[in-house]
Amino acid sequence: MVSTTKNRFVTLFLKNLLAWCASLLVLVPMALIILNAFKSDGETLTMTMDLPKIWTFTNFGVVIEKGKLVRSFFNSFLYAGCATIVVVILCTMAAYVFSRRRTKGFSMLYMYVVLGMVIPVNYVTLTKVMQVLHLTNSALGIILLYTAMQTPFTVFLTYGFVSKVPEELDEAAILDGSTPANLFFKIVLPMLRPAVITAGVLCFLNTWNEFIMPLYFLHSTDKWPMTLAIYNFFGQFETNWNLICADVILTCLPVVLLYVICQRYIIGGQTEGAVKG
Amino acid sequence: MNKAKVYPWYFAIGAVLVYTVLNVVPGILGLGYSFTDWSAYSKELHFVGFKNFIDVFSGKGNYLTYILNTLLFTFVTTVAKTGLGLLLALALSKGIKGMNFHRGVMYMPSVLPVLVTGLTFTSILNPKIGFLNTFLRGIGLDFLAQKWLVDSKLAFWSVMAVDIWRGTGYIMTMLIVGILAIPNVYYEAVAVDGASAWQKFRYITLPMLRQTLAVTIVLNVIYGLKVFDMVYALTNGGPGHRTEVMYTAVYKMMSKGLYAAGTTISTLLFVFMLIVGYFMVKILTKDEVVE
């Protein structure tokens, strides 16, 4: 008995040690960014974990002005926000039809869409398609692209939720004289609230973080989202770590806030499907 | 109830259309263009048969290196994230203090923009003024202070390490959810027989986690094969082409106007994923289909 108690203690100690090491490994770089964002120009010649000698709050103002972040912030918000709304509406509608009508054709169509989760994008020919459609360097173009990229996962995610809404509900509504559109938007969609929130939050997160699409398809600086703006800023101010750190914080702030508020939905959504087996 | 009327097909048309035009069509077009000499330098387009593919596999223009780098990246990061993720998941699934704090912290890197994580680490790993080397010198471990992203032997491993830093928490979280879904009665049953911790892990946890592990591996592989942001931010393929992966190479070919070459590399990945992807999707959607 003595040995098992001792063993349990050792296991617990090792578990805690491991947990703290891993957490510190994640926290240290983050703390480093936060501390250095408040230092003055001279203090960040080397990056250290020392507290700022003088807490400099003006870095954020400088970055916003020099990096033209107001414009980029608005752009990111526009692209991610619009894409999220479009994706959620189109994909829940599609998932609803796929889930309710399980004929061979619709099952195949569902598989076809979900296959997009693994299919890689061919950016070279996508450029061609975008040019033909006159969607290059336009807000509409990037929103549609984001929509296309988020569609497979969102359909997959919401499909599972739709099948949990009882079909008897539909029958009752139809007997009451409801139109198909009314049935979906007034009855089914409100019942899909958790799915809509989960899909929306994840879509916003992914599109806010998107870098490769704007890199290929948005050429004028006034159309750049935050990710492109920070990349460019990094190239220009490579030695001003305090400014770069401030920019990093501003770029990450929306997603970090979203994560803190909607943690449950994000983790639930990203781990969906993994553990039902 | 007439299902065709109640659930009209055109409800699905928006999603299917956008997805088809901007995702599938470029893929199929790419397949066609990879048999041509498409470039920015000539208006005419010629059919060249399998020439582009032969070029890739005969080692012309380093293309093969980029593919092999991508595979190495995918393999190493998948193994490391799964292994470390499982270890952490086992430690953090039950009975330790501050469990939620640790989980919340470790998940954080996977919600941040990958590009920003990459940029941040270029500063941390800077040989002269970066935090890591300053720290190592500070505690007297000068010999460990390396030129992380500059040394041609080390650079790719540094890139992979940063990606493992970014992605392990996510995998860990999935595995924790999986572990917590295992009914406790199984453990209680073998505890009566006096099973050791290792036996519990080997004969209950591991088999019950099979589906979750399969999904995490698939997700890691998909991510690894398509990696771009991380490499682009950290090294942009350098030094030389030591850390070049498929998507960074395609971006460079695209900027140089070498469309056919870029499209050929993309097509190779496209065809590979069409073949393997079906099985991957089957794994990802396993229960959904049976439901």
Side-chain angles (χ1 to χ4, degrees), chain A:
Chain A
M1 258 342 250
V2 177
S3 74
T4 43
T5 327
K6 203 173 143 198
N7 263 335
R8 200 164 291 164
F9 180 77
V10 172
T11 320
L12 202 63
F13 174 77
L14 286 177
K15 276 185 176 181
N16 273 294
L17 186 73
L18 186 69
W20 276 107
C21 285
S23 283
L24 277 180
L25 213 56
V26 171
L27 284 174
V28 165
M30 292 182 184
L32 194 69
I33 294 294
I34 294 171
L35 287 175
N36 281 277
F38 293 100
K39 289 183 183 173
S40 57
D41 286 347
E43 269 186 278
T44 45
L45 291 175
T46 56
M47 268 198 155
T48 61
M49 285 289 267
D50 303 335
L51 289 177
K53 287 196 190 82
I54 320 143
W55 286 79
T56 317
F57 292 91
T58 47
N59 289 338
F60 293 92
V62 174
V63 173
I64 290 171
E65 198 209 316
K66 283 192 183 162
K68 295 183 189 125
L69 289 196
V70 177
R71 181 84 223 184
S72 297
F73 198 89
F74 171 76
N75 287 339
S76 277
F77 225 87
L78 178 77
Y79 305 153
C82 290
T84 302
I85 294 168
V86 178
V87 164
V88 167
I89 293 174
L90 291 185
C91 293
T92 46
M93 287 174 85
Y96 169 64
V97 175
F98 293 151
S99 173
R100 288 294 199 244
R101 293 175 75 173
R102 303 213 175 172
T103 57
K104 197 145 198 195
F106 278 100
S107 299
M108 273 169 68
L109 202 56
Y110 172 65
M111 268 316 255
Y112 164 76
V113 173
V114 173
L115 199 59
M117 287 198 287
V118 296
I119 291 186
V121 180
N122 186 327
Y123 291 96
V124 188
T125 40
L126 180 58
T127 310
K128 180 106 182 156
V129 172
M130 293 288 280
Q131 277 164 0
V132 171
L133 297 174
H134 297 286
L135 289 174
T136 315
N137 205 21
S138 87
L140 177 68
I142 208 81
I143 291 168
L144 285 175
L145 263 184
Y146 284 179
T147 306
M149 298 312 141
Q150 296 302 319
T151 291
F153 175 73
T154 313
V155 168
F156 163 65
L157 182 77
T158 45
Y159 182 89
F161 281 95
V162 174
S163 46
K164 284 179 203 127
V165 178
E167 258 187 85
E168 291 77 28
L169 220 63
D170 307 1
E171 282 173 38
I174 292 297
L175 283 178
D176 280 349
S178 174
T179 64
N182 253 331
L183 163 64
F184 178 72
F185 287 105
K186 296 255 169 74
I187 297 169
V188 177
L189 200 58
M191 296 211 44
L192 288 175
R193 223 176 86 102
V196 168
I197 298 175
T198 307
V201 169
L202 286 179
C203 183
F204 190 89
L205 202 74
N206 291 336
T207 47
W208 182 278
N209 291 347
E210 182 64 51
F211 174 67
I212 189 165
M213 290 291 174
L215 181 70
Y216 270 100
F217 301 107
L218 295 177
H219 309 303
S220 33
T221 48
D222 63 339
K223 294 212 169 69
W224 281 358
M226 290 295 273
T227 43
L228 262 184
I230 195 177
Y231 183 75
N232 189 53
F233 189 84
F234 189 83
Q236 276 179 1
F237 295 88
E238 210 172 348
T239 47
N240 297 56
W241 296 120
N242 53 344
L243 297 183
I244 288 170
C245 290
D247 201 345
V248 166
I249 290 178
L250 291 172
T251 309
C252 296
L253 204 59
V255 284
V256 171
L257 281 179
L258 203 61
Y259 171 63
V260 171
I261 300 167
C262 304
Q263 194 176 12
R264 193 163 60 92
Y265 291 104
I266 293 173
I267 294 182
Q270 290 196 332
T271 55
E272 174 74 9
V275 284
K276 282 183 244 136

Side-chain angles (χ1 to χ4, degrees), chain B residues 144-187:
Chain B
L144 276 180
Q146 300 288 335
K147 293 179 176 166
W148 302 106
L149 294 167
V150 186
D151 186 303
S152 64
K153 281 204 192 79
L154 210 58
F156 204 33
W157 296 98
S158 306
V159 172
M160 291 191 264
V162 176
D163 202 68
I164 293 162
W165 178 89
R166 189 199 64 80
T168 300
Y170 171 42
I171 300 305
M172 173 199 81
T173 310
M174 290 188 108
L175 293 172
I176 287 178
V177 180
I179 288 173
L180 294 181
I182 301 173
N184 228 345
V185 286
Y186 290 117
Y187 293 108

Side-chain angles (χ1 to χ4, degrees), chain B residues 130-152:
Chain B
F131 172 73
L132 183 60
N133 281 1
T134 318
F135 173 75
L136 288 171
R137 288 191 201 104
I139 57 169
L141 293 170
D142 295 58
F143 68 97
L144 276 180
Q146 300 288 335
K147 293 179 176 166
W148 302 106
L149 294 167
V150 186
D151 186 303
S152 64

